[in-house]
Amino acid sequence: MVKIAFFETKDYDKAAFAPYEKAGETEFIFFETKLTEMTADLAKGCDAVCVFVNDNVSAAVIDKLYEYGVKIIALRCAGFNNVDVRHAYGKIHVVRVPAYSPYAVAEHTMALLLTSIRRIHKAYIRTRDFNFSLNGMTGFDLHGKTVGVVGTGRIGRVFIDICRGFGMNVIAYDAFPAADSGINYVSLDELFEKSDIISLHCPLTDDTRHMINAEAIEKMKKGVVILNTSRGALIDADALLDGIKARKVGAACLDVYEEEAALFFEDRSGHILNDERLARLISMPNVIVTSHQAFLTAEALNNIAETTMSNIRSYYENNGICDNELCYCDGRIDTLKKDRKEKCF
Ligand code: NAI
């Protein structure tokens, strides 16, 4: 019997995973709380823990889980900046879902962009109040505009295809440009200088933290639209606020926020928001915030559940060999290894 503790779960997670629970083979225990040092005890007696983007899988948490006999940490997501993979090496295997629907995230990014620049969010509220005025609703054509895409992996590339469908001129920056991709790569500075719209699709690392800061915004075109459906800390939110107040940034669409862990995924409508910066951002007429929702499609949830269960099964049925393992070896985290022939450790 493989016992799995799921942290940070909602009804839609339970519904997606329920078909994979097999009597006599697996037992699922769902917790609404996030995994933290304080809640790690809940995993006592479990073989695996399944976590999401805002669970805090620090070195201290890993040590506790290891002590309790947990063998696998299975991420139900692609990003792994919240897991100390290096500390887990040699103790607990860490697996993830590298791709579940790049379309879900790329399509949400375009939905945010169109909503923002065509004022759909305002029109929805106006017409419900029988206000049919068009004052203040002027947008702009996407056709012919330059979009700068930072990170041309799975999601970035789908977003590029969508933008090309709109007749946009696409330029891109990637620390590891894809050869023969037909993508017009430029330097990050050139991307900042030339883009009418900038969309972030790279992971959060020490190199990318606050890549959109005051200095970067200074280089951008007046009226630039900034889209972030990747990770909140790619943007220095104070610098973004300053850029908006100075009328330099024309609009921002944020599905992620640096301090989201304490806020997102919960109904806080009856509470006083004690994050002044987020409250100010949300109050801006040209800012749209969604609460880390870009992944949330039926297709993505099914793919997440299927891949997560197959990742966990591989530990028991495939001699511990899993292509989706985040294997810290040779001084770096190997995410790319395909057709692994041996265990990570
Ligand atoms: P991917 O791994 O396929 O692509 C990431 C790309 O970023 C790669 O081409 C890589 O070379 C590039 N990159 C790495 N370091 C870079 C740097 N310093 N500067 C510029 N580019 C760099 O990842 P994928 O699947 O496209 O996901 C991208 C990000 O989207 C994830 O890291 C995750 O943070 C975020 N995400 C957000 C979701 C949401 O619901 N909002 C859902 C899924 C992912």
Side-chain angles (χ1 to χ4, degrees):
M1 172 78 88
V2 179
K3 237 171 143 177
I4 308 170
F6 291 77
F7 285 87
E8 207 187 354
T9 53
K10 300 282 178 249
D11 287 347
Y12 48 80
D13 296 306
K14 292 177 201 167
F17 276 92
Y20 293 91
E21 189 171 19
K22 301 257 174 342
E25 285 179 32
T26 46
E27 185 184 339
F28 293 175
I29 308 164
F30 293 102
F31 298 112
E32 283 188 21
T33 180
K34 290 186 191 56
L35 176 60
T36 64
E37 225 181 309
M38 274 173 69
T39 62
D41 288 2
L42 294 168
K44 265 185 191 165
C46 290
D47 306 284
V49 298
C50 185
V51 298
F52 198 46
V53 292
N54 290 324
D55 289 295
N56 177 13
V57 195
S58 62
V61 169
I62 288 167
D63 286 341
K64 279 194 164 189
L65 297 177
Y66 183 57
E67 187 193 321
Y68 302 150
V70 171
K71 294 168 190 71
I72 312 165
I73 296 166
L75 283 97
R76 322 191 277 280
C77 53
F80 51 88
N81 49 286
N82 54 329
V83 182
D84 193 335
V85 177
R86 184 178 172 161
H87 191 80
Y89 180 70
K91 298 187 178 86
I92 305 183
H93 295 272
V94 183
V95 292
R96 67 163 180 161
V97 183
Y100 36 89
S101 175
Y103 309 103
V105 182
E107 288 170 14
H108 188 80
T109 312
M110 181 48 89
L112 284 172
L113 175 59
L114 285 171
T115 301
S116 170
I117 65 158
R118 301 308 304 269
R119 321 281 189 251
I120 305 297
H121 53 313
K122 293 181 186 296
Y124 176 78
I125 290 167
R126 272 194 197 181
T127 55
R128 286 175 74 84
D129 202 25
F130 308 119
N131 175 354
F132 302 114
S133 155
L134 292 183
N135 282 336
M137 300 295 240
T138 310
F140 63 81
D141 289 6
L142 287 179
H143 187 269
K145 294 294 183 301
T146 296
V147 58
V149 177
V150 182
T152 56
R154 298 175 192 88
I155 296 169
R157 287 202 197 196
V158 175
F159 186 66
I160 287 174
D161 286 345
I162 293 173
C163 290
R164 285 183 175 150
F166 276 76
M168 300 172 81
N169 167 39
V170 179
I171 57 175
Y173 169 77
D174 196 301
F176 309 96
D180 305 326
S181 59
I183 295 171
N184 180 11
Y185 286 105
V186 297
S187 69
L188 196 54
D189 277 354
E190 193 176 342
L191 183 142
F192 289 153
E193 284 156 20
K194 291 194 170 160
S195 301
D196 301 296
I197 295 139
I198 294 174
S199 195
L200 305 178
H201 299 289
C202 60
L204 174 64
T205 64
D206 290 342
D207 290 339
T208 60
R209 185 175 299 275
H210 286 189
M211 72 186 322
I212 304 297
N213 54 19
E215 205 185 324
I217 291 171
E218 183 63 34
K219 291 175 188 149
M220 293 176 193
K221 280 187 174 179
K222 184 171 163 52
V224 63
V225 179
I226 298 177
L227 312 171
N228 188 7
T229 55
S230 194
R231 284 292 179 267
L234 295 177
I235 297 183
D236 175 346
D238 286 321
L240 178 65
L241 257 179
D242 289 343
I244 292 166
K245 285 191 244 171
R247 279 52 171 183
K248 175 83 187 231
V249 174
C253 301
L254 312 171
D255 185 52
V256 285
Y257 171 64
E258 186 165 3
E259 306 299 334
E260 70 177 50
L263 298 165
F264 281 17
F265 303 130
E266 304 298 336
D267 178 0
R268 305 200 181 272
S269 54
H271 301 259
I272 308 286
L273 191 71
N274 55 11
D275 183 322
E276 300 293 328
R277 208 171 40 177
L278 182 62
R280 186 77 173 108
L281 276 171
I282 289 174
S283 78
M284 292 286 180
N286 51 356
V287 174
I288 296 179
V289 174
T290 51
S291 49
H292 209 132
Q293 170 188 339
F295 76 99
L296 195 62
T297 65
E299 290 80 359
L301 288 171
N302 288 337
N303 291 341
I304 287 169
E306 192 182 328
T307 306
T308 301
M309 292 314 296
S310 139
N311 286 345
I312 294 174
R313 266 199 315 272
S314 68
Y315 177 84
Y316 295 93
E317 295 171 10
N318 194 26
N319 201 23
I321 302 167
C322 178
D323 280 351
N324 295 330
E325 177 154 8
L326 294 167
C327 186
Y328 183 83
C329 48
D330 305 328
R332 67 188 186 94
I333 300 166
D334 176 7
T335 56
L336 303 170
K337 210 171 235 173
K338 284 280 154 287
D339 302 323
R340 280 210 171 97
K341 299 280 182 286
E342 53 190 42
K343 289 159 81 155
C344 170
F345 59 87

